[in-house]
């Protein structure tokens, strides 16, 4: 039996052709909810999805009739996706995620149902300004979490632990065995992106494509030190001063800035950990390798000698998204 799965992000969409539980082929397209928002045109995403779908089916010698079901998760259920679908509320596990799937009939290009995996939020109450600070929400990471659970030390599963998912936003997720108990959401990668593309730091932190995926961990540590000593605003200024007075190169300055942003994000997280999730000592970070290592370096710097156990899982080496999707569907 064949089925199709779309993982839709803010900047990218990936389609997977799956036979039983095995991925036959996949394709990436640089289209996401960000483009829908910028162009105010939802058809952009549908056309992108259909391009991926047709191309993978064609390569496999299949037709639409061979695909028993199409699934999608992530920003596709956001206001800048295909159709806005309310988040499901936590606590939730794989079975709950599967049971809350929303079926949408796509009538413009697919002319068939697309089964949408909902994002998650931390409250089901009516929201107002009085309680907005209690809210946390994610879309897409719930599928990755299901896959990540297969790669954690077995002894972690007998108690509570935390999964950190850095990205444009960073979500910290409190787990009890394989149930998502709580979420704490933070702005993060978008801050770094804004600083390195829309401020005076742009040209002094720019690096070649090949160096984007690597990081200088000593420079990251320096960034942490500046934030601890002076706070975010002065730490960022120091990186600007490094350019003005010719200290180090763009690669080191970029790594240092990454340390500044990451340690600011982790300071908020650690405050939350201390006040709300105190009893938890195990933290797994799932991200592209250099980002996961940056988070680990920063966490170790900020929590030195406190008994936290941290591990990194490199997203570029294991695809927890598709693995989690298969687990959810088979649950
Ligand atoms: O629920 C939404 O609308 C979001 O903006 C979720 C976002 O934070 C993603 O989880 C990032 O991957």
């Amino acid at each position: 039996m064949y089925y199709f799965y779309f993982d839709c992000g803010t900047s990218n969409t990936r389609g997977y052709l799956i036979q039983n539980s095995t991925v036959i082929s996949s394709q990436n397209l640089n289209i996401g909810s960000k483009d829908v928002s910028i162009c105010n045109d939802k058809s952009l995403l549908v056309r992108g999805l259909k391009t991926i779908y047709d191309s993978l089916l064609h390569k496999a010698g299949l037709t639409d009739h061979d695909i028993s079901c199409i699934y999608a998760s992530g920003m596709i259920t956001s206001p800048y996706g295909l159709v806005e679908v309310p988040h499901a509320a936590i606590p939730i596990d794989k079975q709950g995620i599967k049971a809350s799937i929303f079926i949408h009939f796509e009538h413009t290009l697919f002319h068939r149902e697309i089964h949408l995996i909902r994002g998650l939020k931390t409250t089901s109450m009516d929201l107002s300004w009085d309680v907005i600070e209690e809210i946390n929400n994610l879309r897409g990471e719930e599928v990755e979490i299901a896959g990540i659970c297969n790669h954690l030390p077995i002894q972690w599963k007998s108690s509570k632990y935390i999964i950190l998912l850095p990205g444009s936003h960073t979500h910290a997720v409190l787990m009890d065995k394989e149930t998502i108990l709580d979420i704490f959401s933070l702005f993060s990668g978008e801050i770094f992106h804004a600083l390195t593309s829309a401020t005076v730091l742009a040209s002094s932190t720019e690096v070649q494509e090949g160096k984007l995926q690597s990081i200088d961990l000593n420079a990251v540590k320096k960034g942490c030190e500046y934030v601890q000593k002076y706070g975010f605003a002065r730490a960022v200024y120091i990186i600007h001063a490094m350019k003005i007075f010719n200290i180090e190169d763009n690669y080191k300055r970029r790594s240092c800035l990454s340390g500044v942003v990451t340690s600011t994000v982790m300071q908020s997280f650690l405050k939350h950990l201390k006040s709300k999730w105190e009893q938890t000592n195990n933290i797994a970070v799932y991200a592209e390798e250099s980002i996961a290592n940056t988070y680990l370096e920063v966490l170790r710097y900020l929590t030195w000698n406190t008994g936290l156990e941290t591990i990194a899982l490199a997203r570029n080496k294991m695809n927890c998204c598709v693995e989690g999707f298969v687990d959810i569907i088979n649950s």
Side-chain angles (χ1 to χ4, degrees):
M1 187 169 54
Y2 293 99
Y3 47 101
F4 209 94
Y5 169 53
F6 290 109
D7 165 24
C8 303
T10 308
S11 319
N12 290 294
T13 297
R14 185 168 278 272
Y16 298 92
L17 175 60
I18 300 172
Q19 185 176 26
N20 301 320
S21 294
T22 307
V23 175
I24 304 291
S25 56
S26 67
Q27 189 175 318
N28 196 59
L29 207 63
N30 297 116
I31 282 191
S33 56
K34 193 168 71 180
D35 305 287
V36 173
S37 168
I38 291 168
C39 303
N40 196 17
D41 179 7
K42 280 180 192 271
S43 72
L44 208 71
L45 183 62
V46 191
R47 278 186 271 129
L49 298 177
K50 192 66 165 59
T51 305
I52 298 175
Y53 187 71
D54 289 345
S55 147
L56 290 186
L57 260 57
H58 178 73
K59 278 187 204 145
L62 300 172
T63 70
D64 184 47
H65 296 291
D66 297 310
I67 306 300
S68 57
C69 196
I70 303 177
Y71 295 91
S73 68
M75 295 303 280
I76 192 161
T77 59
S78 78
Y80 311 108
L82 192 59
V83 56
E84 188 173 1
V85 183
H87 303 82
I90 53 150
I92 199 163
D93 59 7
K94 280 186 283 204
Q95 288 82 8
I97 292 173
K98 183 180 176 186
S100 69
I101 283 177
F102 178 90
I103 301 174
H104 168 72
F105 191 87
E106 204 299 300
H107 60 88
T108 64
L109 291 176
F110 283 87
H111 307 289
R112 61 178 292 174
E113 287 174 351
I114 300 186
H115 292 230
L116 300 171
I117 297 175
R118 289 174 196 258
L120 304 179
K121 64 179 176 182
T122 44
T123 177
S124 48
M125 64 185 167
D126 286 341
L127 289 172
S128 68
W129 202 342
D130 290 337
V131 289
I132 192 66
E133 66 193 276
E134 301 299 325
I135 195 74
N136 300 275
N137 58 299
L138 51 80
R139 294 188 211 254
E141 286 85 356
E142 69 291 335
V143 177
E144 292 181 308
I145 290 165
I148 292 168
C149 286
N150 299 330
H151 298 274
L152 298 174
I154 193 89
Q155 64 276 18
W156 284 26
K157 306 267 188 74
S158 56
S159 58
K160 291 182 185 157
Y161 57 94
I162 292 164
I163 301 177
L164 273 179
L165 299 126
S168 53
H169 305 168
T170 290
H171 301 288
V173 179
L174 179 66
M175 303 289 297
D176 186 6
K177 302 186 182 71
E178 298 205 345
T179 297
I180 297 173
L181 278 191
D182 203 0
I183 304 167
F184 187 61
S185 304
L186 303 123
F187 225 57
S188 55
E190 295 233 64
I191 302 175
F192 185 75
H193 175 71
L195 288 169
T196 53
S197 63
T199 72
V200 69
L201 296 176
S203 60
S204 57
T205 53
E206 184 181 54
V207 294
Q208 282 173 351
E209 188 75 23
K211 276 225 151 179
L212 280 174
Q213 314 299 356
S214 75
I215 193 95
D216 182 312
L217 291 177
N218 281 327
V220 166
K221 219 164 125 192
K222 280 270 189 203
C224 294
E225 285 168 15
Y226 297 146
V227 173
Q228 277 231 314
K229 265 195 194 162
Y230 305 109
F232 177 74
R234 167 120 183 120
V236 174
Y237 164 77
I238 291 170
I239 293 162
H240 175 57
M242 284 166 77
K243 168 68 184 171
I244 301 300
F245 299 103
N246 262 326
I247 313 290
E248 301 297 352
D249 59 10
N250 279 16
Y251 174 62
K252 293 250 175 75
R253 286 191 285 263
R254 189 180 181 88
S255 298
C256 190
L257 183 65
S258 180
V260 169
V261 173
T262 307
S263 64
T264 306
V265 171
M266 284 298 90
Q267 279 182 344
S268 299
F269 161 69
L270 290 169
K271 220 172 177 177
H272 184 76
L273 180 73
K274 217 167 159 204
S275 63
K276 299 270 173 62
W277 296 352
E278 209 177 12
Q279 72 283 38
T280 336
N281 275 328
N282 297 328
I283 304 180
V285 184
Y286 176 70
E288 191 278 317
E289 197 167 23
S290 66
I291 296 177
N293 287 336
T294 302
Y295 270 75
L296 278 203
E297 184 71 22
V298 168
L299 270 174
R300 283 176 189 152
Y301 177 84
L302 294 175
T303 64
W304 186 76
N305 227 357
T306 56
L308 274 189
E309 189 184 332
T310 50
I311 58 167
L313 302 170
R315 185 163 46 199
N316 39 319
K317 294 191 177 155
M318 58 179 81
N319 190 334
C320 290
C321 184
V322 73
E323 203 179 307
F325 164 71
V326 169
D327 278 4
I328 288 169
I329 295 312
N330 292 333
S331 68

